[in-house]
Amino acid sequence: MVRAVRGMRDILPQDARMWRHVEDMIQGVIASFAYEEVRLPLLEFTELFARGVGEATDIVEKEMYTLADRDGDSLSLRPEGTASCVRALEESGLLYNQNQRVTYAGPMFRYEKPQKGRYRQFYQIGAEAFGFAGPDVDAELIAIGAACWKALGISQHISLEVNSLGSNEARIAYKEALVAYLTPLKEQLDEDSQRRLLSNPMRILDSKNPATQGLLKLSPQLPDFVDEESKAHFQQLLKILDAMGITYKVNPNLVRGLDYYTHTVFEWVTQDLGSQGAVCAGGRYDGLVKQLGGRNTPAVGFAIGLDRVVLLCELVKLEVKQSADLYICVLGDELRSKGMILARQLRDEMPQTSVRLHMGGGNFKKQLKRADASGATWAILYGEEEAASGELSLKHLRDVSVGQVKLRVEQIAQRITSSI
Ligand code: ATP
Ligand code: MG
């Protein structure tokens, strides 16, 4: 048997139910903020990510799945959604002088070390807003996240960290100061950080290495470099969050791995998934559209890591709907087509209810075992006796006190829907 590629997971029926639930809830919340969906290709020119994510980022340096197509063009499987999103809207003339609030969803690909919560094909749902410079839209995006966790019932496991990187100039000045401070200490840094000192020094702040973190205690501090305008933007954002009752922690060491962030950055984190603690990350990237060849366009967005949200939902034992609500047991070959017709009628009458028709014969006892295993709440027994009397037996499979009742077909839908 050929096996799945390392880091690429199958999501099998039992897990897929949870995935479907999580996706529906999150996409429902985002739609309730009237963000519009965009569907983007999985493959882009490699150059898009080199320019849009940044040559010096881990993603572009060592995590992309890059291939040459038959014309020799270098293409990459998308490692994230923002660059594609900007490309698509800019290419269609939807950014210039306009506001856009959009959402995307789907798989992303990064060649990382697979472990729990970290895969080579993983899934994100993102939201991006273009054309808004103020802190209100930063707050709105954070509010979307908060609403998602609430809808899923996982708010108490997730907390919010925020920071401001300041303007592009502030960020550059800070970067220089940080490099000046760390260069003489280079030998004491962990290996990754030594490399980043040259390529992407701000990412060193992210380091989990205790020795590196120790050195950073006395390093120049980002907030001291943030310009007044950015500070005001950040203070206004915090004020809106306060007013909305969204709690947060200002984390001055919070930076993003992607080069294009300015001003607000934020991360929703959990303590419950080990070191893969970030479930959603976002921020403002006012410089990106221009960097990709468009005009200056303020922009801000986030990406939720679905794999980790699903893990969290499993951890808190979030209940999701079973695949079948109603299982129809049908006895005897003569009733086979009548069973089909009955199932059709019930599906028509109860579009919200899933109806699984037994197939493959067997007595009622065997069929009821299958019904039980399907997770269905109800079973219908449809045999010769029922066909003759015109009354079907409806059995509650989860609550013995409800037991079994005889009902006419027309009464069944009402009985089931009134119990939901
Ligand atoms: P990390 O620091 O965990 O590598 P990141 O900074 O690379 O995360 P982003 O590029 O900001 O992550 O992506 C947003 C979210 O997507 C992350 O917060 C995380 O939940 C999820 N994510 C990123 N990479 C992976 C992966 N390889 N597997 C599963 N989820 C991921
Ligand atoms: Mg990463």
Side-chain angles (χ1 to χ4, degrees):
M1 221 13 209
V2 179
R3 303 175 69 97
V5 174
R6 189 162 131 86
M8 315 270 162
R9 294 188 299 159
D10 302 307
I11 297 166
L12 297 171
Q14 204 184 344
D15 299 327
R17 283 204 294 277
M18 177 69 88
W19 276 80
R20 164 68 61 196
H21 177 79
V22 170
E23 282 167 351
D24 284 352
M25 296 306 263
I26 293 176
Q27 289 182 314
V29 166
I30 295 175
S32 79
F33 283 74
Y35 280 56
E36 297 217 74
E37 188 182 1
V38 285
R39 297 189 179 220
L40 305 164
L42 300 190
L43 272 178
E44 299 273 4
F45 288 116
T46 303
E47 189 194 348
L48 175 70
F49 303 116
R51 282 170 55 188
V53 179
E55 298 273 10
T57 56
D58 285 353
I59 293 181
V60 173
E61 262 184 358
K62 51 181 191 185
E63 293 177 359
M64 282 211 293
Y65 281 88
T66 297
L67 57 117
D69 77 1
R70 288 169 194 276
D71 297 332
D73 286 323
S74 177
L75 306 180
S76 292
L77 281 171
R78 62 180 187 191
E80 56 101 53
T82 302
S84 305
C85 197
V86 169
R87 192 229 7 96
L89 297 182
E90 177 64 23
E91 195 171 333
S92 314
L94 290 171
L95 285 185
Y96 180 57
N97 253 347
Q98 296 172 61
N99 297 323
Q100 298 291 350
R101 285 182 249 196
V102 297
T103 175
Y104 62 83
M108 306 293 161
F109 303 85
R110 296 183 194 174
Y111 197 85
E112 303 201 62
K113 191 165 159 240
Q115 53 201 287
K116 191 173 166 216
R118 189 176 296 284
Y119 310 99
R120 290 182 175 177
Q121 174 172 334
F122 63 100
Y123 296 81
Q124 290 185 336
I125 295 181
E128 318 277 0
F130 298 94
F132 305 95
D136 43 359
V137 74
D138 303 15
E140 177 171 90
L141 285 155
I142 289 173
I144 292 177
C148 289
W149 320 137
K150 185 170 167 218
L152 289 168
I154 52 175
S155 303
Q156 68 277 33
H157 297 269
I158 296 181
S159 61
L160 172 65
E161 299 195 352
V162 289
N163 192 21
S164 174
L165 301 178
S167 64
N168 210 21
E169 295 73 36
R171 196 184 142 128
I172 291 168
Y174 174 67
K175 212 156 137 175
E176 281 171 7
L178 186 66
V179 172
Y181 168 81
L182 287 175
T183 303
L185 307 170
K186 187 170 171 191
E187 296 310 314
Q188 299 172 48
L189 291 171
D190 61 278
E191 204 180 306
D192 267 345
S193 297
Q194 290 191 6
R195 197 170 41 79
R196 286 177 176 149
L197 189 56
L198 299 172
S199 61
N200 193 1
M202 282 184 52
R203 210 48 221 271
I204 296 174
L205 301 185
D206 259 355
S207 167
K208 307 267 185 305
N209 183 289
T212 300
Q213 277 303 333
L215 294 179
L216 286 172
K217 285 214 175 81
L218 294 174
S219 72
Q221 295 294 302
L222 179 59
D224 298 333
F225 287 75
V226 170
D227 51 293
E228 288 307 315
E229 202 185 320
S230 301
K231 273 188 190 150
H233 182 108
F234 192 50
Q235 287 312 318
Q236 284 166 29
L237 167 64
L238 299 185
K239 223 165 122 184
I240 302 172
L241 295 180
D242 289 336
M244 293 184 77
I246 297 175
T247 50
Y248 55 83
K249 186 178 122 196
V250 176
N251 174 359
N253 281 346
L254 177 67
V255 292
R256 305 287 317 129
L258 313 184
D259 255 0
Y260 48 66
Y261 285 102
T262 51
H263 301 285
T264 311
V265 288
F266 60 91
E267 218 161 65
W268 292 96
V269 294
T270 177
Q271 305 300 323
D272 301 330
L273 294 179
S275 51
Q276 270 53 256
V279 295
C280 172
R284 186 165 273 286
Y285 50 94
D286 290 346
L288 181 64
V289 178
K290 189 153 180 222
Q291 193 171 319
L292 287 175
R295 303 185 205 221
N296 248 337
T297 308
V300 49
F302 67 70
I304 294 174
L306 272 187
D307 305 71
R308 295 181 191 174
V309 175
V310 168
L311 280 174
L312 203 53
C313 290
E314 285 168 355
L315 204 77
V316 305
K317 303 206 162 35
L318 185 74
E319 293 236 358
V320 294
K321 203 169 153 310
Q322 295 288 333
S323 62
D325 299 311
L326 169 64
Y327 195 100
I328 301 178
C329 305
V330 55
L331 204 58
D333 290 347
E334 304 78 57
L335 289 180
R336 190 177 281 156
S337 43
K338 283 202 172 142
M340 288 272 185
I341 293 166
L342 171 65
R344 178 173 68 188
Q345 187 180 346
L346 290 170
R347 289 189 194 105
D348 284 347
E349 285 176 17
M350 305 181 288
Q352 303 299 327
T353 306
S354 56
V355 178
R356 178 178 285 183
L357 178 62
H358 181 81
M359 308 216 159
N363 58 23
F364 273 153
K365 189 166 171 231
K366 178 187 157 195
Q367 295 195 24
L368 279 169
K369 266 199 183 142
R370 290 276 182 85
D372 189 44
S374 78
T377 310
W378 299 94
I380 284 177
L381 301 181
Y382 189 32
E384 258 169 49
E385 195 191 311
E386 285 81 8
S389 71
E391 286 197 322
L392 306 174
S393 302
L394 180 68
K395 184 174 161 72
H396 200 292
L397 295 170
R398 310 292 154 194
D399 184 351
V400 276
S401 70
V402 179
Q404 191 165 322
V405 285
K406 294 234 173 211
L407 292 174
R408 303 188 58 75
V409 178
E410 311 82 72
Q411 298 169 309
I412 285 187
Q414 209 211 348
R415 177 72 190 82
I416 289 178
T417 40
S418 71
S419 75
I420 295 174

PDB file of all heavy atoms in Angstrom, residues 283 328 340:
ATOM      1  N   GLY A 283      -2.337  40.851  12.049  1.00  0.00           N
ATOM      2  CA  GLY A 283      -1.794  42.172  12.258  1.00  0.00           C
ATOM      3  C   GLY A 283      -1.954  43.040  11.028  1.00  0.00           C
ATOM      4  O   GLY A 283      -2.539  42.631  10.026  1.00  0.00           O
ATOM      5  N   ILE A 328     -33.424   4.248   9.464  1.00  0.00           N
ATOM      6  CA  ILE A 328     -34.613   3.490   9.089  1.00  0.00           C
ATOM      7  C   ILE A 328     -34.247   2.016   8.909  1.00  0.00           C
ATOM      8  O   ILE A 328     -33.428   1.669   8.050  1.00  0.00           O
ATOM      9  CB  ILE A 328     -35.232   4.019   7.771  1.00  0.00           C
ATOM     10  CG1 ILE A 328     -35.608   5.502   7.928  1.00  0.00           C
ATOM     11  CG2 ILE A 328     -36.462   3.204   7.393  1.00  0.00           C
ATOM     12  CD1 ILE A 328     -36.179   6.120   6.673  1.00  0.00           C
ATOM     13  N   MET A 340     -37.007   3.214   0.465  1.00  0.00           N
ATOM     14  CA  MET A 340     -36.387   4.352  -0.228  1.00  0.00           C
ATOM     15  C   MET A 340     -37.338   5.532  -0.290  1.00  0.00           C
ATOM     16  O   MET A 340     -36.942   6.688  -0.079  1.00  0.00           O
ATOM     17  CB  MET A 340     -36.032   3.952  -1.666  1.00  0.00           C
ATOM     18  CG  MET A 340     -34.874   2.998  -1.764  1.00  0.00           C
ATOM     19  SD  MET A 340     -33.357   3.941  -1.846  1.00  0.00           S
ATOM     20  CE  MET A 340     -32.174   2.645  -2.097  1.00  0.00           C
TER      21      MET A 340
END
